Amino acid sequence: MTSPPGDSTQVELSSSSIDAGQDIDQARVDSLKQAIADGSIKIDVDRIAQGLIDAFEGDA
């Protein structure tokens, strides 16, 4: 399927938009990456699954 000329969407982010998204705790991200890499993190798949179920049930 082709779009007619001029019927495209283009998004450009300004540097201020990108900088505003820096609410990431990089030290926490790095520690989680390391815990995953060395196998010391326990992922509770039942809790994750229940959270997904709860989220979808809330949408109904």
Side-chain angles (χ1 to χ4, degrees), residues 5 16 19 21 25 38 45 57:
S16 62
D19 292 341
D25 182 349
D38 66 25
V45 294
E57 285 178 346

Side-chain angles (χ1 to χ4, degrees), residues 2-60:
T2 59
S3 297
D7 190 27
S8 65
T9 301
Q10 184 174 0
V11 176
E12 292 183 28
L13 298 176
S14 68
S15 61
S16 62
S17 297
I18 295 169
D19 292 341
Q22 295 302 317
D23 294 341
I24 298 168
D25 182 349
Q26 191 61 46
R28 178 75 174 139
V29 170
D30 292 340
S31 69
L32 287 170
K33 282 182 177 182
Q34 184 60 44
I36 291 168
D38 66 25
S40 65
I41 193 168
K42 181 189 180 310
I43 298 174
D44 187 348
V45 294
D46 292 330
R47 183 173 175 206
I48 294 169
Q50 189 60 53
L52 288 169
I53 291 167
D54 292 346
F56 282 108
E57 285 178 346
D59 290 342

